[in-house]
Amino acid sequence: MTETIHRVGPTDASAERACTPIGRRGLLAGLGAGAAMALVGTPAAAFIRPPQVARTLAFEHLHTGERLVAPYLIRGRLDADGLGRLDYILRDWRTGEVVRIDRRLYALLDALRQRLRTDAPFQIISGYRAPKTNAMLRAASSGVAKRSYHTRAMAIDIVVPNRATEQVRDAALALRRGGVGYYPSSGFVHVDVGPVRRW
């Protein structure tokens, strides 16, 4: 799996930077977690599982067709290069505005992925929303909050392709890390890193 974002959209310098391959360091870090020592004659005690080198997230944007696999944490430290790519794919796709996504949201999604026991990409319905985008959506639907956590870069609406919507909801609720909204008729779940609550 390559750690490259494929996109359709503007080709300005910042977008190009965000869409280049993650590079040898990131690739090796991602592959390092899967490498195991298998030395003949090594005592069993030596086969203790090494700590995971990189924590990665996979996304597929349902509106733009972009796909991305990138680390947000390498060897216990936030990875600026990977985070830049993740922030870009969660941008307001209507306006093109890119902001710094709350880093707790990435940790929440990683924990959710582990709880669901899946490596499938999170399919993005909505990530960050610029205030004017949120106002436009609010005018069209009563289900959009005036002070949405999407406008604060603290929320995402997702689909997990190989898990039922109620499974995703239940796993998110069990984590107790923020808000969880369940939209069965639309087939997605909202998660955010605001106060713990549900609807």
Side-chain angles (χ1 to χ4, degrees):
M1 209 170 193
T2 58
E3 296 184 343
T4 304
I5 186 169
H6 305 279
R7 65 178 177 80
V8 176
T11 57
D12 62 16
S14 62
E16 288 300 327
R17 181 191 60 74
C19 296
T20 54
I22 195 165
R24 186 172 180 272
R25 178 180 62 84
L27 179 61
L28 291 176
L31 295 175
M37 295 185 304
L39 302 174
V40 177
T42 304
F47 289 99
I48 297 170
R49 185 175 177 176
Q52 189 165 7
V53 174
R55 308 296 306 183
T56 63
L57 289 168
F59 289 112
E60 178 184 1
H61 204 299
L62 295 182
H63 296 288
T64 66
E66 297 164 334
R67 292 182 297 276
L68 172 69
V69 178
Y72 72 95
L73 200 69
I74 296 179
R75 294 187 176 86
R77 294 179 181 235
L78 292 172
D79 181 68
D81 192 39
L83 287 166
R85 288 175 171 80
L86 293 166
D87 289 349
Y88 181 78
I89 201 169
L90 264 65
R91 72 194 180 282
D92 184 328
W93 62 274
R94 292 176 177 87
T95 67
E97 185 178 351
V98 181
V99 300
R100 183 185 188 276
I101 301 296
D102 192 309
R103 297 339 189 187
R104 295 172 298 168
L105 187 62
Y106 294 136
L108 166 62
L109 290 170
D110 189 22
L112 182 59
R113 177 190 60 79
Q114 292 178 61
R115 191 167 192 94
L116 289 167
R117 297 180 182 274
T118 180
D119 288 325
F122 289 108
Q123 294 181 334
I124 303 167
I125 303 289
S126 182
Y128 169 69
R129 286 185 209 146
K132 69 178 181 180
T133 297
N134 198 69
M136 178 266 293
L137 294 173
R138 184 172 163 76
S141 170
S142 60
V144 178
K146 184 176 183 179
R147 292 180 48 79
S148 170
Y149 280 94
H150 287 278
T151 65
R152 302 182 230 180
M154 295 170 66
I156 186 171
D157 297 337
I158 53 169
V159 173
V160 181
N162 59 2
R163 295 292 183 269
T165 310
E166 59 267 25
Q167 286 180 290
V168 180
R169 173 203 61 193
D170 293 346
L173 288 170
L175 291 174
R176 294 188 56 78
R177 292 200 187 182
V180 179
Y182 177 51
Y183 299 89
S185 60
S186 300
F188 73 87
V189 173
H190 164 106
V191 293
D192 66 53
V193 288
V196 175
R197 65 211 189 284
R198 64 182 296 176
W199 62 92

